[in-house]
Amino acid sequence: MKRIGILSDTHNYLDPKILHYFKDCDEIWHAGDVGSFDVIDQLQALAPLRVVAGNIDGSDMRRMYGEVLRFRCEEIEVLLKHIGGYPGRYDPSIRGSLMANPPQLFVCGHSHILKIKYDKTLGTLCINPGACGYHGWQKERTIVRLTIEGNKFTDCDVITLNNS
């Protein structure tokens, strides 16, 4: 069993509340637009971190982390990418890969819109944790916690951070 903290679009700001909410997580996954290595350092100090670079991340971060990450967590295959879309509207940059070899879990960011949706056609749970930084137009800043037990997802928590 692994408890996962999922976030995206920090844009160089890591709300201290995130460290509290993710303190018991076994892993943290950042779906891009990190903004700085300081954010990465703070998250890595808390738990093992998986990161993809987003469109605002510099070339140094892109070289270090890349734009797509595919891996296994427990018995679940995960695909992590910043710009990904959602069921019925996947971004062209990832659509072919999703259709050819669908993961059980697809995590993306970019839109700043919290969305958790199951794609029945692909058998894929799609999670966009929304944005948790202050940069952007979102009305709420959100993060997600998810537990993975073998090949099952449990305890999916959406956490809204106060915007003040």
Side-chain angles (χ1 to χ4, degrees):
M1 178 180 83
K2 286 199 176 178
R3 191 154 172 91
I4 311 298
I6 304 172
L7 72 165
S8 183
D9 296 280
T10 46
H11 290 269
N12 200 33
Y13 174 73
L14 188 66
D15 189 317
K17 288 178 261 186
I18 293 170
L19 301 176
H20 167 74
Y21 286 117
F22 286 177
K23 72 180 187 301
D24 294 327
C25 289
D26 299 300
E27 290 185 18
I28 299 171
W29 303 345
H30 195 306
D33 277 4
V34 179
S36 75
F37 283 101
D38 181 54
V39 169
I40 287 174
D41 291 343
Q42 290 179 68
L43 292 171
Q44 281 180 328
L46 198 60
L49 178 66
R50 297 182 192 264
V51 180
V52 291
N55 55 296
I56 68 121
D57 294 318
S59 58
D60 50 349
M61 199 169 290
R62 288 177 189 279
R63 277 191 304 276
M64 185 170 284
Y65 295 106
E67 296 181 25
V68 179
L69 183 61
R70 195 171 195 126
F71 59 94
R72 291 190 75 74
C73 179
E74 295 276 308
E75 298 171 32
I76 300 290
E77 187 164 352
V78 180
L79 180 59
L80 185 62
K81 185 178 188 305
H82 182 59
I83 300 175
Y86 53 90
R89 294 190 53 119
Y90 291 116
D91 189 77
S93 67
I94 198 68
R95 185 181 305 125
S97 179
L98 284 169
M99 299 300 164
N101 187 16
Q104 286 83 35
L105 178 59
F106 177 51
V107 177
C108 64
H110 185 64
S111 70
H112 291 216
I113 300 170
L114 169 72
K115 193 170 283 207
I116 300 173
K117 192 170 183 180
Y118 186 72
D119 185 329
K120 294 177 188 174
T121 303
L122 298 180
T124 300
L125 178 63
C126 301
I127 297 178
N128 183 325
C132 61
Y134 279 109
H135 180 77
W137 53 268
Q138 70 275 1
K139 292 181 180 174
E140 294 183 319
R141 295 179 307 114
T142 54
I143 58 176
V144 171
R145 282 187 312 212
L146 177 71
T147 300
I148 298 176
E149 293 187 54
N151 64 356
K152 299 195 182 324
F153 305 109
T154 63
D155 302 324
C156 185
D157 299 318
V158 172
I159 299 156
T160 300
L161 305 167
N162 186 340
N163 279 337
S164 60

